Amino acid sequence: MPSFSRIRAIAEKEVFHILRDSRTLAIIFLMPLLQLIIFGYAMNMEIRQVPLLVDDLAMNSSSRALVSAFVNTDYFVLIAKEAGTLKPDELFRERRAQATLTIPKDFGAFQHRVLLRIDASDPNSAQMIQNYALGIVNSTGVRTEAGIDLRAQILYNPDLKSSFFFVPGLIALILVMVCALLTSISISREKEMGTMEQILVSPVSATEILFGKVIPYLILGLLDALIILAVGMLLFQVPFRGDFSVFLLFTFLYVLTSLCLGLLVSTVAKTQQAAMMMALGLTLLPTLLLSGYMFPITSMPVILQKLTYIIPARYYLQIIRGIMLKGNNIAQLYQAGLSLLSMSVLMLIVAARRFKLRLS
Amino acid sequence: MNVLKIQELSVRYGPVEALSKVDLEVQPAMVYGIIGPDGAGKTTLLRSICTLLPYQEGSIEVLGYDAANRAKEIRARIGYMPQRFSLYQDLSVQQNLRFFARLFKVNHADMLKRREQLYKFSRLEPFAKRLAGNLSGGMKQKLALSCALIHTPGLIILDEPTFGVDPVSRVEFWQLLHQLKADGISIVVSTPYMDEASQCDQVVLLHKGRMIGQGSPAEIISGWKGKLYSLTSSDLRKLYEFLLSRANKEDLQLFGSEIHLFSEQELSSDKIASWQREFPALESCVEIKPGMEDVFLRMMQ
């Protein structure tokens, strides 16, 4: 039976370390903020002020309404008419315009077709431009194509703001990185400094050491999540539609999973340096690439899809997007939550078994 | 009853034999010295006693518990001071003591009482709030000793506790050990210093993982067969070269300001006189009593 008082002794000692160690404090608080701000502004995928050439052959009230609908948004800016003498190809090649809109002569009366040409040398931007244009055309109530009433409705993020996409993703990424680093470094530091040898010659058990290490960082991890969330909401105006207690509960599970991953790393790594490399290697790229953060899981090859099941961020991303953007409740998220819980229990058991109470 | 009993202990790291057939017995209230140069296997032996290392052959019994399968009972009952300073440098003296007390489940009232005693004993009280990392070498060792004693163990294992500590603090540290012994605590201590070896009740001399001698310091010294001479000169190096041509290299030892010469028979005064003629810088050549170091160096051969 693990002794609660011993776990408490280790946890409290850990708090003293954290408070005295400016490096750990920097990892905990400064790193997430820096990442959020750098990622936040660098990963801006929104497109604004797209240079648009309008070739209005109708020149009637309908066409003018359509054009002003385009211009009245921040997404498009009209380029000067004289460029109209150039062909679309040349316009695109010289990067004078990224899109052209051609309105046919009888627009509004018989014709409902307009032609939008988009420079798709950057396919992502092209996709965005198309979506924006579609949204604008739909909002004017004009049918895009005679006979087909195509009205795409974009849910949860109608303006396709990229901050809605990256802030939840960054919370997932930063938490797993910081938490895995914290526990793995904390244990490997004791090995490196020789203090592990000292505390091993006592009745302390592996479980007590591991619990004692996890508990303080669990609280710090949650605190970290709150800071990232608050800064994300303040700087990038991300909504929070769900329940805060649901967020706390599931974030707790995710932080626990990440800390247990760090424990597992520490049973392999002998030095702080090795622990740091391993913790980063196991969290940074897998989370970016395989969690569904950057690339949709459904479009991955089957093998990679299977691999995503062992990426904790895969589940948390579902949870955090669900809570922030869709207002999900516990019932809608419990499966992802259970996955996280079983992952952490499993990793904790493996770490406790692998943890050596002897020197090797 | 023996506090510690080791029989035919062998420890291997892969193909390397770190310890080979070591036997020793420690009685209550005894200072037992593990003596040997670096790489002799002292740390391996002490770590095996602390149940930190698995061993391949032989047996270790600590306070009546078998080290092979009762590690937890042993660890709860002994105090250990590793070779490197292994307390938390970013914790204060007081915090370190409190942490180790809690690790050993010493209750708060007992801990306060014990801490009081240890503060008196080590004279660390004025530094209670100082971070362990900011203590001097001697004080660090006293703190480490105090932490090893916080749960009132019957046996403490100290791995080169005075290594790198200034001479005054070394003397002071050994006074503490004698005090502990007087209180009935058994001490197993390793040291590379021969002057410390002679302060132990019993010693085992280790060389390359093997025992080359065992017993009380007096017994070990009395086991010396032959004569020992101390030679001095203003030019010690030249004297050494001179003696090399007259005696075996193994019989000569440079000792700071003198050369010790081992001889199976007594050197005749004629021989000494002839050396003095051949090497006028030879100042004196007198027979002396061997010390631990002489015995040890002799035994290593």
Side-chain angles (χ1 to χ4, degrees), chain B residues 120-123 142 145 171-181 187:
Chain B
K120 267 203 200 104
F121 159 84
S122 64
R123 278 174 273 152
K142 283 198 276 186
L145 180 64
V171 171
E172 214 182 329
F173 192 87
W174 272 88
Q175 281 166 354
L176 294 181
L177 294 190
H178 289 303
Q179 220 173 308
L180 290 174
K181 180 191 149 187
I187 301 164

Side-chain angles (χ1 to χ4, degrees), chain A residues 3-6 8-10 12-13 16-17 20-21 190-205 208 357-360, chain B residues 47 50-54 67-68 71-72 75-76 78 80-82 84-92 95 98-100 102-105 131:
Chain A
S3 142
F4 179 71
S5 63
R6 254 197 302 259
R8 222 183 94 185
I10 295 173
E12 279 182 27
K13 168 194 76 80
F16 289 134
H17 289 322
R20 291 229 173 87
D21 181 11
E190 296 228 19
K191 289 190 200 167
E192 211 175 303
M193 302 295 283
T195 51
M196 191 57 88
E197 180 176 349
Q198 177 79 71
I199 63 172
L200 284 183
V201 184
S202 78
V204 77
S205 70
E208 287 161 355
L357 283 173
R358 289 178 183 228
L359 303 171
S360 43
Chain B
R47 282 179 171 171
C50 293
T51 73
L52 282 172
L53 281 181
K72 201 157 183 175
R75 289 178 182 195
I78 61 171
Y80 174 50
M81 211 176 132
R84 229 167 90 201
F85 180 68
S86 301
L87 300 181
Y88 297 98
Q89 314 239 14
D90 54 345
L91 258 54
S92 69
Q95 285 170 332
R98 180 152 185 263
F99 173 69
F100 284 98
R102 293 172 76 187
L103 214 51
F104 284 94
K105 285 200 154 184
L131 295 188

Side-chain angles (χ1 to χ4, degrees), chain B residues 8-151:
Chain B
E8 304 239 311
L9 176 73
S10 295
V11 180
R12 275 185 289 272
Y13 300 119
V16 184
E17 190 155 62
L19 279 181
S20 163
K21 297 216 185 313
V22 173
D23 294 277
L24 62 87
E25 277 179 27
V26 178
Q27 270 90 47
M30 173 189 262
V31 179
Y32 197 104
I34 316 282
I35 320 296
D38 287 348
K42 302 192 294 293
T43 297
T44 302
L45 177 57
L46 296 184
R47 282 179 171 171
S48 307
I49 298 170
C50 293
T51 73
L52 282 172
L53 281 181
Y55 50 91
Q56 283 73 31
E57 276 163 48
S59 67
I60 304 178
E61 208 181 281
V62 187
L63 301 165
Y65 296 97
D66 183 351
N69 47 36
R70 305 296 292 277
K72 201 157 183 175
E73 285 82 357
I74 294 173
R75 289 178 182 195
R77 286 167 178 80
I78 61 171
Y80 174 50
M81 211 176 132
Q83 191 167 20
R84 229 167 90 201
F85 180 68
S86 301
L87 300 181
Y88 297 98
Q89 314 239 14
D90 54 345
L91 258 54
S92 69
V93 167
Q94 200 177 319
Q95 285 170 332
N96 267 299
L97 281 167
R98 180 152 185 263
F99 173 69
F100 284 98
R102 293 172 76 187
L103 214 51
F104 284 94
K105 285 200 154 184
V106 179
N107 74 44
H108 194 69
D110 288 347
M111 188 273 284
L112 290 179
K113 226 162 51 193
R114 184 72 178 151
R115 199 172 69 189
E116 234 17 73
Q117 291 171 349
L118 289 170
Y119 275 158
K120 267 203 200 104
F121 159 84
S122 64
R123 278 174 273 152
L124 275 175
E125 187 153 25
F127 310 101
K129 294 243 181 328
R130 190 178 286 190
L131 295 188
N134 296 339
L135 293 174
S136 71
M139 286 205 284
K140 273 184 184 162
Q141 295 312 84
K142 283 198 276 186
L143 175 59
L145 180 64
S146 302
C147 286
L149 287 166
I150 192 84
H151 56 300

Side-chain angles (χ1 to χ4, degrees), chain A residues 173 176-185 187-188 191 258-287 311-312 347 354 356:
Chain A
L173 176 66
V176 73
M177 263 170 61
V178 170
C179 292
L181 271 179
L182 286 176
T183 40
S184 63
I185 289 183
I187 291 185
S188 53
K191 289 190 200 167
S258 312
L259 292 171
C260 290
L261 179 67
L263 292 181
L264 209 54
V265 164
S266 75
T267 63
V268 181
K270 286 205 171 72
T271 63
Q272 293 184 67
Q273 201 85 37
M276 206 183 286
M277 300 299 284
M278 271 171 158
L280 282 181
L282 283 173
T283 53
L284 182 58
L285 283 181
T287 303
I311 309 289
M347 286 196 283
R354 282 193 50 91
K356 290 187 193 75

